[in-house]
Amino acid sequence: MRPALLNPLFAEVTSLPGVGPKQDGLLRYLLGRSETPRLVDLLLHLPSSVIDRRNRPKVRDAMTGTVVTLEVTVDRHRPPPPRNKRAPYLVYASDETGDVVLTFFRGRPDYVEKMLPVGAKRYVSGMVQMYDGIPQIIHPDRIVDEAAFAKLSGIDPVYPLTEGLAQGSLRRAIAQALAKLPALPEWISPEVISRCNFPPLKDALTRVHVPQEITDILPDGPFWSRLAFDELLAGQLALTLVRAQLRRPAGNRHAGDGHLRHKIIDALPYALTSSQQQAMAAIAEDLSKPVRMLRLLQGDVGSGKTVVALLASAAVAEVGKQAALMAPTEILARQHAKTIAPLAERAGVKVAILTGREKGKERRDILARLESGEIDILVGTHALIQDDVVFKSLALAIVDEQHRFGVRERLALTSKGEAVDVLVLSATPIPRTLVLTYFGDMDISELREKPAGRQPIDTRAVPDTRLGEVMEAIGRALKAGKLVYWICPLVEESEAEGTDHLTNATERFESLQKRFGADVGLVHGQMKGAEKDRVMGQFAAHEIKLLVATTVVEVGVDVPAATIMVIENAERFGLAQLHQLRGRIGRGSEASTCILLYHEPLGQMSKSRLAVIRETTDGFRIAEEDLKLRGEGDVLGVRQSGLPGYRIARPEVHAQLITQARDEALRILKDDPKLKGPRGEALRCLLYLYERDEAIPLLSAG
């Protein structure tokens, strides 16, 4: 139950005067919510900059292109002529040093007359421009009388907006939300407050939204940092609670004698690499310990994570238990199933797949076999966590590309069995600070080598002015029987507003088809699953030799015979993404080539990225470089800047706070594991405020 103290903050924004259905729709979009936002969502939407209105020159001294606040007397109005609605409404005003024109396009006469009555003194704020030698302010930001001016702070926050929403109406809504902020108990320990010099929460929110100095809204300042720490602490506390739940003593354990694992290893067409062997030994040891496993298996593209996941699943099958492997996309789930099934079959281990595509009788049949224990390994998407999916005895949950799933999905999967062990797979090697942020303190296994026989990839960067030469080279490769990927950043025109030079996949497919005929196929994310599979199947079977695709092939698609990749507009992709895409080639025994086509001129960031990707195929080094260049969002394949799931904390600014929040969370759970004391109550408020309350039911569990 949410603490009653927080109720005012969880009221809907539409309860505020002046926030109607239209604003509701715009605020949902702006704040990324599917239902009506609450006051707390407004309060955690922080400004991106400020306007300093303390600059108060005389009209004569107002500098063009600056924001000024002028004290003027209103002299006369000049409405537009009746026949010319497009002409602006002009108001002439002055002080003792000169005249200024206040200009309103489509200005409503009643509104302008009420705001600026002739003869009145007004304080007018906005950007000064010159027109016909006279200073003018178009649509002033502020028009107030003396009494209202005395109450203004002089510095206005500027918020990120969406089209149709005005700064003024958002500022008014946030000011009303601030007024309803209740007195909340302090959840940060006194030691951390004094060490980090944090202000109380109310001061932090007030000074960020009503800055008294320009520096009040800087992310590295004390006010924003306090809020970032709160958010990180909520995240770390939730992870630590999940961790403590997983670490509770577990009953009978899940590792067998190895007979199925040996059969699978014998069926492999190659020997396990030494890091695969080490990872498997660590997992087998975890499975036999009296506490539940929580291990992250990081491995580069093509390093053989799926085989390790299969061996872990076989270990639990040896004692008659089941495993589930959950992937974020259907393409990836089917790829895992395709890799796992033939090897599992050789050992007599039964595998099934469940995604949104399995329906009706087929789905009912899978669920019945799962519940009776006939299926040993179930591979699938989010479909695995639906209520009607019942395992006979789930012992191992394997989550692939886990940063794309929240704590909720993780808990939903592990709750389908008793003391379920968790193995997380990541094809994006994740730098240590990020592992802490997203996974808490996990045990980590790394697959550093590539399987034997893999050939190096020759990566070249080529300007798109040489497209003709690239086409000719591709023609020669197709004649020689090679398989080629051609990657485009977009599916079609509509995605490309304001990006004229970006090629869309549909257009490129048509131009390549004209040139190479039936050898060319197209696959993108807007196609139906069955259609994507059909085209991928044709490519794998050499029925088509040139596959035009969007980044839908980024993860998990396995066609070992493909040896050439062209990535168009390569400067548009993040490092991790370029690395993932390139990993689709170089999977067989032939040498491979990756051509990065870029559009000039290149910015500094794009130059650095293309240089790194040409120099190395080591995913761990690429991840570290990517973090330096871009910050978190991209390292984890999540495209917005900043931390996915975090609105306030910024990796490049608050990295040192992540470790402090983690240490604090561990200390809290050591001192008060059920959050029962007075500080525990305060921390429950914190978890609700930052939507980490899915961890709260764990406090009452066992």
Side-chain angles (χ1 to χ4, degrees):
M1 287 287 289
R2 183 173 69 223
L5 185 62
L6 294 178
N7 289 345
L9 293 178
F10 282 78
E12 295 187 340
V13 291
T14 45
S15 65
L16 298 172
V19 180
K22 183 181 175 217
Q23 274 88 352
D24 177 22
L26 293 168
L27 287 169
R28 285 181 194 214
Y29 184 73
L30 176 68
L31 303 171
R33 302 202 66 85
S34 53
E35 64 286 333
T36 299
R38 297 95 25 114
L39 302 197
V40 63
D41 302 312
L42 278 180
L43 291 178
L44 298 179
H45 183 67
L46 302 191
S48 50
S49 63
V50 291
I51 295 174
D52 188 351
R53 302 196 188 281
R54 294 173 300 183
N55 176 18
R56 291 186 50 201
K58 293 293 180 191
V59 170
R60 179 187 56 205
D61 306 321
M63 284 177 62
T64 306
T66 60
V67 173
V68 298
T69 301
L70 303 174
E71 181 187 336
V72 293
T73 302
V74 180
D75 298 329
R76 64 190 173 94
H77 285 229
R78 195 179 103 192
R83 288 201 185 81
N84 187 359
K85 287 280 188 280
R86 305 184 70 168
Y89 190 120
L90 304 179
V91 177
Y92 292 84
S94 60
D95 67 6
E96 65 275 22
T97 68
D99 299 319
V100 62
V101 179
L102 311 176
T103 305
F104 300 87
F105 288 95
R106 297 202 197 94
R108 294 202 328 270
D110 55 338
Y111 170 77
V112 181
E113 284 161 14
K114 187 176 163 202
M115 293 295 284
L116 293 157
V118 174
K121 182 161 66 165
R122 288 289 180 264
Y123 291 85
V124 178
S125 186
M127 173 84 72
V128 179
Q129 293 165 344
M130 291 306 268
Y131 188 72
D132 276 354
I134 298 178
Q136 71 164 343
I137 298 177
I138 298 173
H139 291 283
D141 303 320
R142 296 275 197 188
I143 302 170
V144 292
D145 60 17
E146 198 151 10
F149 184 68
K151 293 179 188 161
L152 284 185
S153 71
I155 301 176
D156 276 341
V158 177
Y159 294 96
L161 291 176
T162 186
E163 194 178 348
L165 191 64
Q167 280 293 346
S169 57
L170 184 58
R171 281 188 198 123
R172 282 191 293 278
I174 289 174
Q176 292 184 68
L178 260 181
K180 292 181 185 291
L181 182 66
L184 294 172
E186 182 55 84
W187 43 72
I188 304 180
S189 67
E191 306 87 75
V192 174
I193 284 182
S194 71
R195 182 171 72 235
C196 298
N197 209 6
F198 286 147
L201 174 70
K202 188 163 191 165
D203 293 4
L205 278 169
T206 306
R207 287 289 285 276
V208 169
H209 289 298
V210 189
Q212 290 169 23
E213 293 299 332
I214 295 178
T215 50
D216 287 355
I217 69 146
L218 293 178
D220 60 356
F223 305 112
W224 191 305
S225 292
R226 153 78 208 224
L227 299 172
F229 185 81
D230 286 346
E231 186 177 39
L232 290 165
L233 180 59
Q236 289 299 312
L237 193 53
L239 283 169
T240 312
L241 285 166
V242 171
R243 174 77 171 177
Q245 168 76 354
L246 288 172
R247 284 301 193 209
R248 291 213 328 268
N252 53 356
R253 297 311 289 140
H254 302 148
D257 58 6
H259 68 280
L260 294 177
R261 279 168 280 173
H262 289 308
K263 283 185 185 170
I264 289 168
I265 291 167
D266 291 342
L268 288 172
Y270 49 80
L272 292 177
T273 64
S274 67
S275 54
Q276 280 176 315
Q277 290 170 354
Q278 283 162 10
M280 199 46 238
I283 290 166
E285 192 184 336
D286 286 351
L287 291 173
S288 56
K289 280 183 185 161
V291 291
R292 291 157 76 177
M293 167 170 80
L294 187 56
R295 183 170 287 276
L296 172 64
L297 177 64
Q298 298 205 84
D300 215 337
V301 177
S303 59
K305 292 179 299 300
T306 311
V307 169
V308 176
L310 169 60
L311 291 169
S313 305
V316 302
E318 288 161 5
V319 291
K321 300 284 180 72
Q322 294 166 304
L325 195 169
M326 183 162 74
T329 65
E330 189 176 327
I331 256 189
L332 191 45
R334 292 192 179 279
Q335 194 65 55
H336 282 311
K338 192 178 139 199
T339 308
I340 285 172
L343 292 166
E345 210 170 280
R346 300 279 287 275
V349 173
K350 300 276 188 298
V351 179
I353 184 158
L354 184 66
T355 68
R357 205 193 304 172
E358 282 66 41
K359 292 196 169 72
K361 183 178 181 311
E362 183 186 11
R363 188 171 189 276
R364 288 195 297 275
D365 178 50
I366 292 169
L367 296 183
R369 286 167 49 222
L370 186 70
E371 196 168 355
S372 69
E374 280 173 60
I375 293 171
D376 300 306
I377 305 172
L378 184 63
V379 181
T381 54
H382 287 80
L384 299 189
I385 60 177
Q386 289 169 358
D387 292 344
D388 60 349
V389 178
V390 179
F391 290 80
K392 184 182 182 194
S393 56
L394 178 66
L396 174 63
I398 303 169
V399 184
D400 192 15
E401 294 300 329
Q402 125 107 30
H403 50 267
R404 301 188 187 190
F405 295 110
V407 172
R408 271 191 187 86
E409 285 97 338
R410 242 180 302 177
L411 292 173
L413 188 55
T414 54
S415 67
K416 290 184 177 288
E418 287 292 312
V420 175
D421 288 302
V422 179
L423 178 65
V424 169
L425 311 181
S426 175
T428 316
I430 303 174
R432 184 73 199 139
T433 49
L434 300 203
V435 172
L436 278 180
T437 315
Y438 293 98
F439 307 105
D441 253 348
M442 287 182 112
D443 299 314
I444 298 177
S445 295
E446 290 179 353
L447 301 182
R448 287 270 179 175
E449 314 106 310
K450 293 269 195 290
R454 292 268 166 107
Q455 295 297 310
I457 300 172
D458 175 17
T459 305
R460 303 169 194 187
V462 177
D464 57 12
T465 47
R466 291 173 56 196
L467 181 65
E469 294 170 51
V470 172
M471 292 259 195
E472 279 166 28
I474 294 299
R476 292 193 294 276
L478 294 174
K479 276 207 179 89
K482 307 274 189 205
L483 292 189
V484 182
Y485 285 105
W486 191 296
I487 308 293
C488 299
L490 310 171
V491 179
E492 57 197 20
E493 215 58 76
S494 61
E495 293 183 62
E497 282 172 33
T499 46
D500 302 336
H501 67 275
L502 291 185
T503 311
N504 68 69
T506 318
E507 195 181 283
R508 178 56 71 218
F509 165 67
E510 285 161 6
S511 71
L512 289 168
Q513 204 179 31
K514 272 192 194 121
R515 187 158 180 161
F516 302 121
D519 274 347
V520 188
L522 171 68
V523 61
H524 57 71
Q526 292 173 14
M527 289 162 69
K528 292 229 160 42
E531 180 62 9
K532 274 190 284 209
D533 286 352
R534 187 181 66 75
V535 179
M536 290 303 306
Q538 287 178 311
F539 186 55
H542 296 238
E543 289 163 25
I544 51 178
K545 297 190 178 65
L546 173 55
L547 183 67
V548 179
T550 56
T551 53
V552 72
V553 300
E554 177 185 341
V555 189
V557 172
D558 191 19
V559 182
T563 54
I564 297 171
M565 177 174 280
V566 178
I567 301 179
E568 226 172 319
N569 299 114
E571 77 282 358
R572 298 280 300 182
F573 295 100
L575 255 180
Q577 209 180 11
L578 286 171
H579 180 59
Q580 286 283 344
L581 287 165
R582 178 175 61 182
R584 303 298 109 219
I585 57 172
R587 300 173 81 85
S589 52
E590 270 187 78
S592 296
T593 306
C594 179
I595 296 167
L596 306 170
L597 272 178
Y598 61 86
H599 185 74
E600 295 180 302
L602 276 183
Q604 197 46 53
M605 173 91 83
S606 301
K607 272 190 189 141
S608 309
R609 275 208 295 269
L610 296 182
V612 170
I613 206 85
R614 275 170 47 214
E615 279 165 32
T616 181
T617 52
D618 174 0
F620 287 89
R621 187 186 148 207
I622 283 169
E624 294 293 349
E625 293 292 334
D626 203 14
L627 187 59
K628 275 185 219 155
L629 286 172
R630 303 258 299 194
E632 230 84 341
D634 235 63
V635 176
L636 291 170
V638 182
R639 303 263 179 331
Q640 74 268 44
S641 62
L643 299 158
Y646 288 83
R647 283 180 275 192
I648 293 168
R650 301 269 177 88
E652 65 284 10
V653 180
H654 304 119
Q656 82 292 353
L657 294 181
I658 294 173
T659 329
Q660 300 204 43
R662 196 256 334 237
D663 294 345
E664 182 77 343
L666 291 171
R667 207 167 23 251
I668 288 164
L669 279 206
K670 188 163 163 262
D671 298 345
D672 183 9
K674 295 287 178 197
L675 302 188
K676 287 277 194 225
R679 186 176 174 208
E681 276 305 301
L683 288 159
R684 286 169 188 253
C685 289
L686 171 72
L687 289 170
Y688 274 100
L689 275 183
Y690 285 95
E691 296 189 271
R692 294 292 191 274
D693 47 286
E694 64 262 36
I696 284 180
L698 300 179
L699 293 167
S700 54

